Amino acid sequence: METVRVVCAHDCPDMCSLLAHVEDGRVMRIEGDPDQPYTAGFACAKVNRDAELVHSPERLATPLRRIGPKGEGRFAPITWDAALDEITSRWQSIVAESGPLALLGYCYSSHQGLMNRGLPNGLFHAMGTSRLWAGTVCDSCMDAAWEATVGPIGGADPESVVESDLVICWGADLFATNVHFWAKLEAVRKRGVPFVVIDPRRTRSAQNADWHIPIRIGTDAALALGIMHILVRDNLCDRDYIAQHTLGFDRVERDVLPRFAPDRVAGITGVPATDVDRLAAMYGAAKKSLIRLGWGMTRYTYGGQSLRTVALLPGVTGAYGRYGGGAVNGTNASFELNYNAVRKPSGPAATRTINHNRMGEALLELKDPPIRGLFIAANNPAVTCPDTTKTRRGLAREDLFTVVHDPFLTMTARYADIVLPATTYLETEDFFRGYGNYYMQYSPRAVPPQGEAWSNLKLAQELAARMGLIDPVFSMSQPEILRELFRGATGPVAAFDPDTLRETGPVSIATRAGQQFRTPSARLEFYSEALATQGLPPMPDWQPDPVEATQGAQWPLRLLTGPGYFLSHTAFSGVAFLRRREGTPYCVLHPADADARNLRDGDRVRLLNDRGTVGLTLHVRDEIQPGVVLVPGQRSDDETVDGTVNMLCSDAYTDMGEGATYQSTWLDVRPW
Ligand SMILES: Nc1nc2c(c(=O)[nH]1)N[C@H]1C(S)=C(S)[C@@H](COP(=O)(O)OP(=O)(O)OC[C@H]3O[C@@H](n4cnc5c(=O)[nH]c(N)nc54)[C@H](O)[C@@H]3O)O[C@H]1N2
Ligand SMILES: Nc1nc2c(c(=O)[nH]1)N[C@H]1C(S)=C(S)[C@@H](COP(=O)(O)OP(=O)(O)OC[C@H]3O[C@@H](n4cnc5c(=O)[nH]c(N)nc54)[C@H](O)[C@@H]3O)O[C@H]1N2
Ligand code: SF4
Ligand SMILES: [Mo]
């Protein structure tokens, strides 16, 4: 048995180093690398099963060509040559007739390798096609809010948690989505360091916390302002830190905080005033409090305001200045590599941009020119985009030529004219940097491509050659591309030699220095002129979700989305074992709401609103508050009673970063 040290490429903040045990070209077993301090010798429950993902009987074996109506999923095998001939000739005629803007091609996040994710996007950049602003379904709101507040730079090193004296997990379920941070935290808690979870749901992280604060969805900014109010009232602010490293706190103190006394905060958030006081006292007493900011709080109309307000808290106590303190969500902004070498080798600086959330609308409504050719890799928008009914109507257009590259025949692939079999990451060579920690690492492939599967990188290079693109990156090997990524790199990564990195295994760029700020003022911005210029409130504040007044008046329950414990979106749905572990797709109602509707645990139920109807199995549990319906994960129609949860969500944007507002969804639950 051979052991290959690889990097986990799944869309996950942990970016683990893994050991793949290989025999006769097959992955027999995956385990966590004991020599990478963050991975610390264990892989998560999902990746422990990645041998079954690579060798899943459900994988696509060959390229396919559609023989039935779009969406039905009837295909006939074809050769790679025939598939590529058809793709390039269709693209060439579309470009000749309507110009390159009539094409939309992208690769999303399911392979986190900088080459396998970046190069397909580089292909479409070089062709000058319409571009997808990908990631608005995930993190664009978080990024925009963090940038406006802290700047385009990573947050605290998660490994600094070993020195924290208070840890708050705010809008994340670490147990599901950040299990290696969870493991570090467990060790710290043995020292008596308190761990608080602020989440509308009693998640597994919350069940295991010292204190769970169940908060109403979309009210985090009010709670954070309530804490600031008390820190000021009780003289718990670090005035020196505020004076030296922040901007505009005086204005917030004067114009905003007086409106956030504990009683009003309790009315907004559902957190009792005594608990707001207790939390503020705890936060004020801590020197090195660390907040793990989750994407959860950003997924509604004012998600940016929520995130930004919570991210300001460590500036009030000066925790940002101390190792072990501060806040962390993303870290990737601190890796200042030459990404453009891969993502933008040539092509116009700007073209038509389409928001990921509104792909459906773009496919249905864009003119001059309409989108006539679509290429999708590493994304399953027919399930994971909001307003999936609209997305699917767009995909169903008979005159749209769609190519999907994926290891599996996903719901999206069923709408394709040509489906191309993709490798999984264990069959690829690539370079990685974390988005939830400060490691970077080169990864060889564990096994050769299975069946006729091609990697994203190989496909991008072959299509580039056939489309006549001459940018050198389209004919480089991975080690050569790695050198390009480091050419002109700045910041901490610039100290590394790419050729050496291929051999060294994981390296961290973390430092013990306090949080730096890359805002226009180079300070933590309580007052943001940049936001004011965009017509957004320059100071943190809280307002009710406007959708509540419209949708909320018609529909009694609010949607809460959460991660799957054994699935990540649909990326592991080719593993039968994990599907079973996750269970039949379900929703959760509080016993009071279930009783009021005469519904019992295990019933098949209909979730409905103006946008549509979805069928799921009901769980009745008090892990959520009355008035809320929890739907974990996004499961495909094959597994649900009917439809998929995103059919109920609108494609409206968040206040910052045009992100997705899954949780500004109101609905009702009735018997199936
Ligand atoms: N197992 C697993 N791992 C994953 C994923 C997965 O689906 N499954 N997805 C991956 C991806 S793509 C991403 S982006 C990350 C996401 O990772 P995180 O940022 O860590 O977010 P989640 O853990 O998804 O947790 C969202 C949490 O926010 C809570 N929440 C929802 N609304 C609010 C609110 O208004 N206020 C507060 N305070 N909390 C709220 C939800 O109840 C839920 O517990 O995880 C990655 N890892
Ligand atoms: N209601 C609701 N919807 C959500 C969310 C939510 O919280 N609530 N979360 C959102 C978030 S955070 C995200 S990131 C998105 C995720 O949305 P998607 O990107 O659609 O996520 P996946 O379901 O993981 O789909 C990725 C696809 O890539 C394929 N794939 C895996 N590896 C490779 C590879 O190497 N090459 C190629 N070509 N394909 C590969 C997988 O088989 C899978 O079909 O969903 C969003 N949707
Ligand atoms: S925790 Fe995340 S990075 Fe680590 S093995 Fe699991 S999916 Fe991969
Ligand atoms: Mo995501």
Side-chain angles (χ1 to χ4, degrees), residues 216 556-558 589-593 621-622 624-629:
R216 275 194 200 124
L557 302 168
R558 187 173 194 170
L589 273 185
H590 188 273
D593 287 324
R621 294 182 200 147
D622 66 359
I624 51 161
Q625 302 153 45
V628 171
V629 193

Side-chain angles (χ1 to χ4, degrees), residues 99-274:
L101 293 184
L103 293 179
L104 174 66
Y106 72 95
C107 176
Y108 188 45
S109 65
S110 223
H111 191 307
Q112 288 282 322
L114 295 182
M115 306 179 202
N116 277 286
R117 180 170 179 183
L119 208 59
N121 293 320
L123 165 71
F124 293 99
H125 198 282
M127 282 163 63
T129 66
S130 291
R131 274 174 217 152
L132 192 82
W133 178 9
T136 54
V137 293
C138 171
D139 54 10
S140 63
C141 175
M142 163 70 78
D143 287 351
W146 176 265
E147 274 193 41
T149 310
V150 177
I153 185 163
D157 176 9
E159 293 191 286
S160 72
V161 70
V162 296
E163 295 190 20
S164 303
D165 57 5
L166 167 66
V167 183
I168 303 180
C169 168
W170 201 319
D173 187 359
L174 303 177
F175 206 84
T177 59
N178 201 184
V179 357
H180 294 87
F181 182 72
W182 176 265
K184 289 276 169 293
L185 177 62
E186 284 290 274
V188 179
R189 292 176 69 196
K190 295 212 172 86
R191 287 199 280 107
V193 171
F195 171 53
V196 181
V197 168
I198 302 174
D199 197 303
R201 175 186 182 191
R202 196 168 67 245
T203 58
R204 293 203 190 161
S205 305
Q207 279 167 35
N208 289 290
D210 298 298
W211 188 16
H212 171 217
I213 302 177
I215 188 171
R216 275 194 200 124
I217 299 168
T219 63
D220 303 275
L223 181 60
L225 292 167
I227 297 172
M228 286 184 212
H229 176 102
I230 297 164
L231 294 175
V232 168
R233 183 194 72 192
D234 297 349
N235 279 322
L236 293 168
C237 305
D238 183 336
R239 294 283 170 186
D240 289 340
Y241 189 85
I242 290 172
Q244 281 173 36
H245 299 286
T246 75
L247 179 80
F249 185 67
D250 50 337
R251 295 178 67 169
V252 173
E253 207 175 339
R254 191 188 63 213
D255 299 338
V256 183
L257 297 187
R259 289 187 278 115
F260 289 91
D263 281 338
R264 175 165 184 251
V265 170
I268 296 170
T269 60
V271 180
T274 46

Side-chain angles (χ1 to χ4, degrees), residues 8 10 12 14-16 18 43-44 46-47 179-180:
C8 176
H10 292 294
C12 173
D14 290 3
M15 202 201 85
C16 287
L18 302 172
C44 65
K46 308 177 294 297
V47 167
V179 357
H180 294 87

